[in-house]
Structures are given as C-alpha cells and as structure tokens.
Amino acid sequence: MTVTLGPLVVDAVEPGAVERFWAAALGGPPQRALLSFRRQTRAKTVKNRVHLDVYARDVEQLLDLGARVLAEYLPARMTLADIEGNEFCAFLDQGLADGSPARAFAVCTDSDRPEELAAWWAAQVGAEVRNGPDGTPRWLYGSAGWEGLIWKFVRVDDERAVPNRWQWTVYDDRVDVGVCVDPQGNEFGVRPRRRPAG
C-alpha cells in the first residue's frame, strides 16, 4: 500500500502574506491544493532544501507580485525568491495559457545522495523513477497525490540545516499522526487518509 502526498507546509514570518503571493502567482485553487502556510518557529538561515519549479509566461508578472531575481540562466530559466526569500525556479514558457502568471510542475528536494532518496520515496508513493538530466535515476513521475508533478531529487553537497522550511505531507492510516523523518532526515507530516464525504 502506498501513501498519498498532500500539500507542502511552508514556514513563514507572515503566513497570510506569503499565501497571498503564491495564490496570485499560481491561482487560488492550485495554491490551496499544493501549499499551506504556518507561522515559523525559527528564522531562515540557509537556502531552502525544498522548492518549486514553475512555468512562467512572463517573469515580470512575478516580480510585480514581489518576487526578486536571484540568478539568471537565460534563455531557459531564472531563480527567483518569493516575498520572504523562498527560492523557486521559473522556466520561461511563452505558450503558458492565459490566467495565472505561473504553473507549478515540479517539487525539488536537495540531497547529497538523490538516487537513494528517490528510490526510497518511489516505493512509498508508487512513483516511476526516471533519469534526471545527468542520466541518474532521481526524478519521480506519477507520485500518489502529486500525479501532475515531477518530484526532482537534486544533487547538492552544501551543509544541511534541519528542519526544512518547506515540508511535504503524506496521508497514511498505518502510522500515528504527527511528524516522521525519511532516511535522509527530511521531516514530513503524517495525516489520516482523506475520506470521501457522505
């Protein structure tokens, strides 16, 4: 039996303000399905180990919402930060349908051993493991709950600071509700599986 992924829980100084930024960037319903927000208990000190990749029709719209540019890798993408410094990658896509300025297409998780972590999570969420651009098996497709997203495990060797400011949620009736840790120390919340109404 696989677990089902739920929203990413985002720590924020001002949760309401960060929620408004992401609702404007992604659209209200997609934001609510993918992101929830809570008041932080510790300050951000290093780069987030979990972030979104989005397609953006026009980065200027994101900048108008309060994002700022951290790095440019033109013509393909830019690294931006939201209004509280949370990093995300914007891949330029002029063909993106009208509506919200951006569409999330991937969740990225940093790891010094991404192949191991991808294999472990693939077994938990019933995903197919495919190769990343470097030819190593570290991208997940079809994760339960995130079927429309790629879960990318990104190779990094920078110092780890825990807990992650962005943590995913899983729905699972087999374990107690609370916080669990995966084999590489990433905390994630566990909630009971959602029941259909009626």
Side-chain angles (χ1 to χ4, degrees), residues 54-128:
V54 303
Y55 289 126
R57 182 176 50 259
D58 180 0
V59 170
E60 288 300 322
Q61 291 181 289
L62 296 171
L63 299 179
D64 289 345
L65 294 174
R68 60 188 168 89
V69 176
L70 298 178
E72 295 185 13
Y73 306 95
L74 298 174
R77 69 180 171 96
M78 300 173 76
T79 301
L80 305 178
D82 72 12
I83 61 170
E84 285 196 0
N86 296 299
E87 303 86 358
F88 65 101
C89 293
F91 289 77
L92 307 179
D93 182 358
Q94 298 298 322
L96 192 64
D98 288 340
S100 300
R103 179 178 67 81
F105 73 91
V107 174
C108 301
T109 302
D110 289 354
S111 170
D112 60 348
R113 299 179 317 280
E115 298 85 1
E116 292 175 25
L117 197 56
W120 190 86
W121 274 107
Q124 309 307 310
V125 299
E128 176 189 353

Side-chain angles (χ1 to χ4, degrees), residues 16 18 42 46 56 68 75 89 97 102 118 130 160 169 175 182 184 191 196:
V18 182
R42 63 182 69 193
V46 296
R68 60 188 168 89
C89 293
R130 297 185 195 168
R160 179 176 174 77
T169 304
V175 296
D182 73 14
Q184 293 186 12
R191 299 179 185 173

Side-chain angles (χ1 to χ4, degrees), residues 7-21:
L8 292 162
V9 179
V10 177
D11 288 352
V13 175
E14 295 185 33
V18 182
E19 181 175 10
R20 286 189 294 277
F21 169 86

Side-chain angles (χ1 to χ4, degrees), residues 38 167 176-181 187-190:
R38 66 183 176 198
Q167 299 175 6
D176 291 335
V177 172
V179 177
C180 292
V181 179
E187 291 186 353
F188 58 95
V190 179

